[in-house]
Amino acid sequence: MADIRNSCDICESELKRLGIKKYAFSAAEAEKREFNVDGGEFSLFRTLFDNAVSVTVFEDGRKGVAQANKTDGETVRRTVADAHAAAQAAAPDDAWDIAP
């Protein structure tokens, strides 16, 4: 859980560093356990881990979204930069905004 909180802290500080005032982000960590039974015998047991981060940036009527399947600091920073770049490249639309 601490890693996810750290990823969120990095994401928020990076968004603020870039001067982005309107944004939304999420970070998730999941663990899944599977087992198979073949002929009444256990044949496989495995644990799967899944991490994800998603960042949405609203800037001057433009929206940018980026996602990644890692939550380490470097990947989170790159995801924020990608969302910011996508917002800058997007066509403006008055509907892309967050209510005050």
Side-chain angles (χ1 to χ4, degrees), residues 4 10-11 33 35-36 48 65 67 73 79-80 95:
I4 286 294
I10 291 169
C11 188
R33 295 190 180 118
F35 66 89
N36 292 344
L48 304 170
V65 179
Q67 300 175 349
T79 304
V80 170

Side-chain angles (χ1 to χ4, degrees), residues 15 19-24 56-60 96-100:
L15 286 160
I20 300 168
K21 293 180 174 51
K22 297 180 180 182
Y23 56 84
T56 303
V57 170
F58 299 96
E59 190 172 46
D60 300 325
W96 292 125
D97 202 357
I98 295 178

Side-chain angles (χ1 to χ4, degrees), residues 31-36 42-49:
E31 181 178 327
K32 180 179 178 182
R33 295 190 180 118
E34 295 180 345
F35 66 89
N36 292 344
F42 285 104
S43 61
L44 171 72
F45 179 76
R46 66 181 171 187
T47 304
L48 304 170
F49 299 96

Side-chain angles (χ1 to χ4, degrees), residues 62-83:
R62 302 168 193 255
K63 177 184 173 183
V65 179
Q67 300 175 349
N69 61 356
K70 289 183 181 177
T71 55
D72 63 272
E74 180 182 336
T75 302
V76 170
R77 286 182 192 88
R78 188 172 353 105
T79 304
V80 170
D82 290 348

